[in-house]
Amino acid sequence: MAVKTKQAEAQALPLNTIVPGDCIEVMRSLPAASVDLIFADPPYNLQLKGDLHRPDNSRVDAVDDHWDQFSSFAVYDAFTRDWLAAARRILKPNGAIWVIGSYHNVFRLGAELQNQGFWILNDVVWRKSNPMPNFRGKRLTNAHETLIWAGKEENSKYTFNYEALKAMNDGVQMRSDWMIPLCTGHERLKDENGDKAHPTQKPEALLHRIILATTNPGDVVLDPFFGTGTTGAVAKMLGRDFIGIEREEAYRKVAQDRIDRTRRLDASALEVTGSKRAEPRVPFGNVVERGMLRAGEELYSLGSRHVARVRPDGTIVGNDVKGSIHQVGAHLEGAPSCNGWTYWHFKRDGRLIPIDILRQQIRAEIEADERPAH
Amino acid sequence: MAVKTKQAEAQALPLNTIVPGDCIEVMRSLPAASVDLIFADPPYNLQLKGDLHRPDNSRVDAVDDHWDQFSSFAVYDAFTRDWLAAARRILKPNGAIWVIGSYHNVFRLGAELQNQGFWILNDVVWRKSNPMPNFRGKRLTNAHETLIWAGKEENSKYTFNYEALKAMNDGVQMRSDWMIPLCTGHERLKDENGDKAHPTQKPEALLHRIILATTNPGDVVLDPFFGTGTTGAVAKMLGRDFIGIEREEAYRKVAQDRIDRTRRLDASALEVTGSKRAEPRVPFGNVVERGMLRAGEELYSLGSRHVARVRPDGTIVGNDVKGSIHQVGAHLEGAPSCNGWTYWHFKRDGRLIPIDILRQQIRAEIEADERPAH
DNA sequence: TTGGCCAGTGAATCATGGA
DNA sequence: GTCCATGATTCACTGGCCA
């Protein structure tokens, strides 16, 4: 079943290609529930005093009346509604989306995400280390853009590589504000005239963090506003599959060249710090079965304030309460829950050692058994 | 006329008081176009499910107050629409508003601001130096909140003390991301039980920066969700008038005590680095009127490539083109605009001196006239 | 007076898999 | 769908107490 689905997807999904055309139409042509992550950097040609263009590039009549201002917002909102709905349809149930915007459009993006049932997980601030100053001294230096990370729905089991991001951040939790420089220098793609190939090329560092944090190797990442293909280049490098959609041929060409030049990291380079949750579950009974602890042996809480005794079936008894290592620990502490593996200790040579050590030994043996012989 | 208006305002506006009641009704009862700045910290509509415990099993004291509960986005949006409309009506034409929110509500706030014709000037990120961690490791640490600064309308001549903020920021432009600690320690107000008096008290440092940046001494600052009165306390300290609106009697009492304890800084302590833009406009004609330059005298561009002659009405003529110092300068340079004050120079003792020197002399005299005698 | 240790806390949409 | 057992998970700072 899973294999069949995989095959069907592989046939239907234009993996690792840049699809020409309007992103709404293209997304509507793709199979439902087929991509893991969407990254979208939609146009925010809003209120720029100049012309406002519809998604099909037709020009909205210039306006300065109040009601017409509203009509401009309405056009932008309708566009947002359409492409977000198309994006949501092709997301897997446990998929997620990132969108990026500035104050011109991000409030409308966020509100529409919520209206459609996406579940916001974080808003993230891209703090620019080298923003353009406010030349006229009339406002604050606009030194950031806003990203929104949202699951397809409230109960989506979204991917989040917590430990990897924590490791990336010197061992403390990654915060919602990220300091990343603008895309400049050699990374900034130029056209044949030496001008920048795209006005809003995003830095690879930004996509690197996003893709590392919220996908796993082999996942499918789709970008409906592909531009010069930062999403595709970083996805390829990190061993993810990508789908790009881009209307402008000039951008598609630049992006394709760029991706062709990009090297995919080999599998060993893709490993990141994993979560304990992903490791195989080991019942405490296994520890007793294997004789690592024997029935009747005593367990101690830290500080030895509480003592419990191991029983042959892997339950323990302490203070006349019987149950699992977790239940007895929670009871003795008067706490709603307790991780018995880290709470209880056994004595060796007069020292207290957490029983989690024993679980780690068992896990190491399991892994050794499952690893193919070299 | 101006005096009359001032008096009428003073009679109608409940300056420096905390008005009990629903903020929408109270704002509707106030005269239109009467306040300079609104700071609003509306309910966030957090949608919390069960309890949350820290890894040490202590329980997180969540915001579960009745005033933060809304049954749907539609209900929250209607509430937002109503209070923003009431707020907009009482703003002066050149007034501005600040709102603060988290990802739960700020996108809806921002979109509705735009819908009603407010003109967003900046979004500002309050980066918390000491945020609560993400205890379960399921998301990024939610380490910021978002503020939106908006003028009443697109062409409002809003107040922005650019130079003061630049000075506050070690001489470089203030950015849109502000690192400020949470309100804790002695600043955090407690009730008679020693518990926090309000679940979401904002730090005074945040309001200090906002009020300093976007009002002048004597301005009227209104806060429709007054809570424990941080806005009022900081406004009073900084020599601004405030109007607070608060529904809950317990909060009003705490706020009033707090404001009574707050001391207003004296006028000399309120002076901040002035912006050139805030300085009085000086027509070039004044320079001629005062005889600092005489009609017929010659002005020179830098390098003396161009020459113009002063005319009695404060216009100049160069290369057969007549107009203001700015117009003629722009014409001679073929530029769309030109700051005539720095472009043109006059000769004294064979040296070229920019005419801006003369404007500065005039301004110095104006300031000396307006400063009260000590 | 200073420093070390311990306890407390802050606008939070904070689990998962098997029966 | 529900119920239940397992068990994973925190950073910066403040203030009080005591040596």
Side-chain angles (χ1 to χ4, degrees):
Chain A
M1 175 69 176
V3 171
K4 201 171 175 184
T5 304
K6 274 276 186 192
Q7 286 178 342
E9 277 180 18
Q11 286 162 5
L13 285 180
L15 289 185
N16 304 313
T17 60
I18 309 174
V19 184
D22 173 74
C23 74
I24 297 172
E25 291 172 21
V26 173
M27 286 193 285
R28 285 177 179 161
S29 75
L30 295 177
S34 59
V35 310
D36 298 285
L37 189 80
I38 291 175
F39 175 86
D41 182 12
Y44 27 107
N45 52 353
L46 208 52
Q47 305 176 18
L48 295 182
K49 292 290 172 121
D51 298 340
L52 179 68
H53 289 86
R54 298 190 178 85
D56 62 2
N57 243 349
S58 66
R59 191 171 144 280
V60 176
D61 281 347
V63 287
D64 33 12
D65 296 319
H66 185 262
W67 62 267
D68 233 343
Q69 221 172 57
F70 175 78
S71 113
S72 301
F73 282 130
V75 170
Y76 189 80
D77 290 347
F79 167 61
T80 302
R81 196 154 46 238
D82 287 348
W83 78 255
L84 272 179
R88 189 154 188 269
R89 190 186 67 86
I90 61 174
L91 267 185
K92 294 179 183 174
N94 292 331
I97 189 170
W98 287 83
V99 300
I100 181 168
S102 69
Y103 66 79
H104 303 90
N105 70 325
V106 77
F107 303 117
R108 315 200 81 84
L109 284 178
E112 185 57 25
L113 277 168
Q114 292 179 311
N115 290 345
Q116 294 201 11
F118 287 99
W119 195 248
I120 298 182
L121 300 166
N122 277 116
D123 59 335
V124 174
V125 178
W126 169 26
R127 304 178 53 222
K128 303 176 182 179
S129 56
N130 47 349
M132 191 186 312
N134 186 291
F135 294 114
R136 314 189 60 174
K138 298 294 293 176
R139 304 182 184 190
L140 300 161
T141 304
N142 195 2
H144 75 276
E145 292 187 29
T146 301
L147 300 122
I148 305 173
W149 173 38
K152 179 170 183 174
E153 51 204 14
E154 178 172 354
N155 295 312
S156 291
K157 290 175 187 130
Y158 54 90
T159 298
F160 181 51
N161 294 317
Y162 172 76
E163 294 290 347
L165 258 70
K166 185 174 174 178
M168 188 192 283
N169 195 37
D170 281 340
V172 294
Q173 286 189 339
M174 185 70 79
R175 299 170 38 118
S176 55
D177 51 341
W178 299 354
M179 176 70 98
I180 291 175
L182 291 168
C183 179
T184 58
H186 292 301
E187 188 186 326
R188 188 77 192 224
L189 298 170
K190 305 291 196 298
D191 63 17
E192 54 280 358
N193 301 325
D195 300 323
K196 53 190 177 190
H198 191 283
T200 67
Q201 184 182 342
K202 294 292 175 288
E204 294 195 0
L206 189 67
L207 271 296
H208 187 277
R209 191 175 295 185
I210 287 170
I211 290 176
L212 196 71
T214 59
T215 65
N216 294 310
D219 280 1
V220 177
V221 181
L222 181 140
D223 185 335
F225 307 98
F226 203 57
T228 53
T230 307
T231 302
V234 176
K236 177 179 178 183
M237 182 178 67
L238 293 177
R240 277 74 168 170
D241 290 323
F242 73 87
I243 301 170
I245 306 173
E246 176 53 50
R247 212 168 44 186
E248 307 283 336
E249 184 179 2
Y251 296 156
R252 288 200 301 271
K253 181 178 180 328
V254 171
Q256 189 63 58
D257 289 349
R258 172 189 197 176
I259 290 166
D260 291 343
R261 287 195 309 271
T262 302
R263 282 193 46 200
R264 187 181 283 258
L265 297 175
D266 56 46
S268 68
L270 291 179
E271 283 177 15
V272 295
T273 309
S275 164
K276 276 188 191 168
R277 270 182 255 261
E279 297 181 34
R281 199 177 73 85
V282 176
F284 180 68
N286 288 13
V287 174
V288 185
E289 273 176 353
R290 294 175 178 230
M292 302 166 96
L293 289 175
R294 277 175 299 189
E297 195 161 352
E298 283 180 332
L299 301 182
Y300 306 87
S301 68
L302 255 191
S304 299
R305 287 191 306 172
H306 297 291
V307 185
R309 193 175 294 272
V310 174
R311 305 203 301 171
D313 61 352
T315 59
I316 64 176
V317 54
N319 202 19
D320 282 336
V321 173
K322 299 171 189 134
S324 72
I325 52 175
H326 315 295
Q327 290 167 331
V328 175
H331 178 266
L332 292 173
E333 290 296 320
S337 70
C338 172
N339 184 345
W341 289 106
T342 54
Y343 180 79
W344 293 110
H345 302 66
F346 64 97
K347 263 192 190 148
R348 283 292 180 278
D349 304 324
R351 293 209 335 229
L352 287 179
I353 302 173
I355 60 175
D356 201 42
I357 292 287
L358 305 174
R359 182 171 63 161
Q360 289 170 29
Q361 289 178 13
I362 294 176
R363 279 180 172 159
E365 291 173 29
I366 292 173
E367 278 185 31
D369 287 347
E370 290 180 348
R371 194 175 302 135
H374 291 287
Chain B
M1 177 70 178
V3 172
K4 202 171 175 181
T5 305
K6 274 276 186 193
Q7 285 178 342
E9 276 180 20
Q11 284 163 6
L13 284 181
L15 289 185
N16 302 314
T17 59
I18 308 174
V19 184
D22 173 74
C23 74
I24 298 171
E25 290 173 21
V26 172
M27 286 193 285
R28 284 178 180 161
S29 75
L30 296 177
S34 59
V35 309
D36 297 285
L37 189 80
I38 291 174
F39 175 86
D41 182 13
Y44 284 13
N45 189 25
L46 298 185
Q47 297 160 48
L48 306 177
K49 301 294 189 292
D51 283 351
L52 178 65
H53 291 87
R54 296 184 173 81
D56 65 3
N57 271 325
S58 65
R59 188 173 152 280
V60 174
D61 184 15
V63 178
D64 51 5
D65 304 72
H66 65 90
W67 48 255
D68 198 49
Q69 312 291 327
F70 293 83
S71 56
S72 68
F73 281 134
V75 171
Y76 187 81
D77 290 345
F79 166 68
T80 302
R81 195 155 48 238
D82 288 346
W83 77 256
L84 272 179
R88 190 155 188 269
R89 190 186 67 86
I90 61 174
L91 267 185
K92 294 180 183 173
N94 291 331
I97 189 170
W98 286 83
V99 299
I100 181 168
S102 68
Y103 65 81
H104 308 85
N105 70 324
V106 77
F107 303 117
R108 315 197 81 83
L109 285 179
E112 186 57 26
L113 278 168
Q114 292 177 312
N115 290 346
Q116 294 200 10
F118 287 99
W119 194 251
I120 297 181
L121 300 166
N122 275 115
D123 59 336
V124 174
V125 177
W126 169 27
R127 304 177 53 221
K128 304 177 182 182
S129 57
N130 49 347
M132 192 179 343
N134 186 291
F135 295 116
R136 315 301 293 264
K138 298 301 294 177
R139 304 181 179 189
L140 300 161
T141 306
N142 194 1
H144 75 277
E145 293 186 28
T146 301
L147 299 122
I148 305 173
W149 173 38
K152 179 170 183 174
E153 52 205 15
E154 179 172 354
N155 295 313
S156 291
K157 297 190 181 98
Y158 55 89
T159 298
F160 180 51
N161 295 316
Y162 172 76
E163 294 291 346
L165 258 70
K166 186 173 174 180
M168 186 192 283
N169 197 36
D170 286 337
V172 296
Q173 284 190 345
M174 185 69 79
R175 296 169 42 116
S176 55
D177 52 339
W178 299 353
M179 177 70 98
I180 292 175
L182 293 171
C183 179
T184 59
H186 293 300
E187 187 186 327
R188 189 79 191 219
L189 299 169
K190 303 293 196 298
D191 63 17
E192 54 278 0
N193 302 324
D195 299 323
K196 55 189 176 190
H198 191 284
T200 71
Q201 185 183 341
K202 295 292 174 288
E204 294 194 1
L206 189 67
L207 271 296
H208 186 277
R209 190 173 296 183
I210 287 170
I211 290 176
L212 196 70
T214 57
T215 65
N216 293 310
D219 279 1
V220 177
V221 181
L222 182 141
D223 185 336
F225 306 97
F226 203 57
T228 53
T230 307
T231 301
V234 176
K236 177 179 178 183
M237 183 177 67
L238 293 178
R240 276 73 168 171
D241 290 323
F242 73 87
I243 301 170
I245 307 174
E246 176 53 50
R247 216 167 39 182
E248 307 281 336
E249 185 180 0
Y251 297 157
R252 288 200 302 271
K253 182 178 180 327
V254 171
Q256 190 63 59
D257 290 349
R258 173 189 197 176
I259 290 167
D260 291 343
R261 288 195 308 272
T262 302
R263 282 193 47 201
R264 188 180 281 258
L265 297 175
D266 57 45
S268 66
L270 289 180
E271 284 179 15
V272 295
T273 308
S275 160
K276 280 181 185 164
R277 218 176 310 279
E279 295 175 21
R281 196 176 70 86
V282 176
F284 180 68
N286 288 12
V287 174
V288 184
E289 276 177 347
R290 291 173 177 232
M292 301 167 94
L293 289 176
R294 278 176 298 190
E297 194 162 351
E298 282 181 333
L299 301 182
Y300 306 87
S301 68
L302 255 191
S304 301
R305 287 192 305 169
H306 298 292
V307 185
R309 193 176 294 271
V310 175
R311 304 204 299 172
D313 60 357
T315 60
I316 63 174
V317 55
N319 202 17
D320 283 336
V321 174
K322 301 167 189 143
S324 72
I325 52 175
H326 315 295
Q327 289 166 333
V328 175
H331 177 266
L332 292 173
E333 290 297 323
S337 68
C338 170
N339 182 347
W341 288 106
T342 55
Y343 180 77
W344 294 110
H345 301 66
F346 64 96
K347 261 192 190 150
R348 284 292 179 276
D349 303 319
R351 293 205 337 222
L352 287 180
I353 301 173
I355 60 174
D356 200 42
I357 291 288
L358 307 174
R359 182 170 63 159
Q360 289 171 28
Q361 289 178 13
I362 294 176
R363 281 187 171 147
E365 292 173 29
I366 292 173
E367 280 189 30
D369 288 343
E370 288 181 350
R371 192 174 304 134
H374 289 288

